[in-house]
Amino acid sequence: MSKKIFSGVQPTGNLHLGNYLGAIKNFVNLQKEKDNTCIYCVVDLHAITVKQDPRILKKNIRETTATFLASGLDPKKSIIFNQSMVPSHSEGAWLLGCVARMGWLNRMTQFKEKAGKDKEKASVGLYIYPVLMASDILLYNSTHVPVGEDQKQHLELTRDIAQKFNLDFNSPNFLITPEPLIQKNFSRIMSLKDGKKKMSKSDPSDQSRINMTDDKDQIVNKIKKAKTDSGEFPENNNDLNKRPELNNLFGIYSSIQDQDMKSTINEFQGKNFSEFKNRLAEVLVEKIYPISKEISKLLKDEKYIDEVLIEGSVKAEKIAKKKVYDIKEKIGF
Ligand code: AMP
Ligand code: TRP
């Protein structure tokens, strides 16, 4: 069956191994499937839900686009664009925001996490962020949305909004309810310093993550220093269950090598931690460093990156505008 794929990544700097293994690698695989239509968006309107420095934002938009391209996304095969250049997303968010219920948004855990203790000071944008995300997805009649585990709740909200709109305006199947595509294994890559915390752009410690722009030495050094524990080298899957740091490192190795955990454990039978870490660093350098090199090369040609985004935005706006028109017609405008 042909799939309509849509996904987005925020241009907030420091794209890391978690973004790559949890999302971008999957984007590239989906682009390879013959009948898929793929649309990948740099969601810069989502980024401004928290304060951004205008010059750094512009740099990060280009860097995220360069990471897409360097990882293997091809503007001839996929539509690649940034959200702020397609005004229909914002218009759609308003229209859908009048269908979404406060009670639904109040349940969103990402808002609670990001707003922290002082909810009164969070931007209104941060609160309605999931409605904009629903607009992104629904305007393209997307059937499948590849995301990391943390976005599952937002996808459920998108489905609720689609269903309520269809019901309220007596239009069965008009807005398509999308399915999340979440990697079954290794969907959460954890911090290299704390196996219970997600690897994250915003972690103040750079040692906690492998950035997609790290060079060889940085990758090797971070893996060497990655936290393990003082237990024995694991012999089977059960050994890993209660050892979050090791579980994460074995997971990263398995994910990058496209193999299951069992094969990884078998591969290292009779070896020790330093042999495992050396090999892990080696495969990361093999797979991530070429992407890092390509990102630096692409970033030297800002004109090319900007052209990719402009061309992608023109294609995206054509599709999104039509859907906004249809939505408005249903509403009575
Ligand atoms: P964000 O950086 O929050 O815009 O996330 C971009 C994509 O990467 C989303 O699909 C996230 O779910 C995914 N992602 C972010 N951090 C991780 C992580 N540590 N492990 C797996 N996936 C992640
Ligand atoms: N909220 C997503 C994140 O933080 C990014 C995003 C915005 C997105 N719009 C989207 C992902 C549409 C998938 C589809 O990772």
Side-chain angles (χ1 to χ4, degrees):
M1 196 195 79
S2 73
K3 301 188 192 101
K4 284 193 178 154
I5 310 288
F6 185 99
S7 196
V9 175
Q10 293 193 56
T12 34
N14 292 336
L15 279 190
H16 53 71
L17 190 66
N19 296 125
Y20 179 70
L21 295 177
I24 302 174
K25 186 164 165 250
N26 211 6
F27 297 177
V28 179
N29 288 335
L30 289 161
Q31 177 190 259
K32 287 184 194 146
E33 286 175 26
K34 208 173 104 247
D35 295 324
N36 289 352
T37 317
C38 297
I39 306 181
Y40 297 118
C41 183
V42 178
V43 288
D44 48 11
L45 295 174
H46 277 103
I48 62 163
T49 53
V50 295
K51 198 167 172 22
Q52 301 289 338
D53 175 325
R55 271 166 313 177
I56 296 177
L57 179 62
K58 191 159 253 168
K59 175 179 155 281
N60 285 340
I61 293 169
R62 291 193 178 115
E63 197 170 298
T64 303
T65 312
T67 307
F68 279 1
L69 299 172
S71 303
L73 291 184
D74 177 354
K76 291 197 192 75
K77 293 188 185 140
S78 299
I79 298 180
I80 298 170
F81 73 106
N82 61 319
Q83 198 182 25
S84 63
M85 293 223 284
V86 177
S88 297
H89 287 242
S90 310
E91 193 174 1
W94 178 261
L95 301 171
L96 297 172
C98 295
V99 174
R101 303 290 94 178
M102 296 272 289
W104 301 352
L105 287 176
N106 286 339
R107 284 199 289 273
M108 296 294 114
T109 51
Q110 185 173 298
F111 174 77
K112 290 181 199 159
E113 275 165 23
K114 286 199 178 174
K117 284 201 190 80
D118 202 353
K119 280 214 290 273
E120 300 284 309
K121 288 222 174 98
S123 73
V124 174
L126 189 67
Y127 182 68
I128 57 168
Y129 171 120
V131 178
L132 177 60
M133 179 161 165
S135 168
D136 299 341
I137 296 168
L138 297 174
L139 294 188
Y140 297 92
N141 294 326
S142 315
T143 59
H144 294 84
V145 181
V147 278
E149 177 75 31
D150 58 339
Q151 295 300 314
K152 207 168 151 197
Q153 197 184 33
H154 291 159
L155 253 290
E156 275 154 20
L157 181 93
T158 302
R159 292 166 60 89
D160 288 343
I161 292 177
Q163 277 160 5
K164 181 161 165 53
F165 186 96
N166 292 346
L167 205 69
D168 285 357
F169 297 98
N170 198 16
S171 314
N173 302 322
F174 168 67
L175 293 178
I176 309 291
T177 46
E179 301 287 338
L181 286 178
I182 296 173
Q183 312 252 88
K184 275 191 220 74
N185 303 316
F186 328 119
S187 61
R188 274 164 75 86
I189 304 295
M190 311 310 275
S191 155
L192 300 178
K193 292 272 139 203
D194 177 352
K196 292 197 197 77
K197 248 170 63 186
K198 222 178 63 164
M199 185 178 283
S200 150
K201 290 169 178 175
S202 54
D203 194 314
S205 163
D206 194 58
Q207 291 289 329
S208 70
R209 61 181 165 262
I210 307 267
N211 299 306
M212 295 307 288
T213 48
D214 280 349
D215 63 24
K216 278 187 199 170
D217 290 346
Q218 283 167 313
I219 297 175
V220 172
N221 190 281
K222 284 177 182 176
I223 294 298
K224 217 181 248 168
K225 295 208 176 119
K227 191 169 168 204
T228 49
D229 57 39
S230 52
E232 299 277 304
F233 195 73
E235 284 183 2
N236 55 50
N237 248 347
N238 293 341
D239 278 356
L240 290 177
N241 284 345
K242 291 207 174 90
R243 303 171 70 182
E245 281 83 18
L246 278 191
N247 194 36
N248 187 40
L249 294 180
F250 274 75
I252 291 175
Y253 185 86
S254 309
S255 175
I256 204 117
Q257 296 290 70
D258 282 318
Q259 65 188 31
D260 58 23
M261 206 67 152
K262 213 165 146 218
S263 315
T264 300
I265 290 178
N266 287 341
E267 193 179 325
F268 289 97
Q269 276 320 293
K271 302 261 168 40
N272 60 33
F273 282 122
S274 78
E275 284 169 297
F276 169 68
K277 277 189 164 184
N278 285 342
R279 180 72 190 128
L280 175 61
E282 208 173 85
V283 298
L284 283 171
V285 166
E286 219 171 85
K287 298 271 167 67
I288 302 301
Y289 182 58
I291 299 179
S292 160
K293 253 191 339 197
E294 184 64 17
I295 295 172
S296 329
K297 199 175 121 200
L298 284 163
L299 285 175
K300 291 199 183 97
D301 191 353
E302 288 182 353
K303 197 166 152 264
Y304 171 68
I305 294 182
D306 293 352
E307 272 166 20
V308 167
L309 291 176
I310 291 168
E311 272 176 36
S313 301
V314 171
K315 288 185 207 159
E317 177 68 4
K318 235 187 225 161
I319 305 170
K321 206 171 169 176
K322 165 86 177 54
K323 194 73 185 183
V324 167
Y325 182 90
D326 292 345
I327 293 175
K328 286 167 91 173
E329 198 162 53
K330 296 273 181 209
I331 291 175
F333 290 137

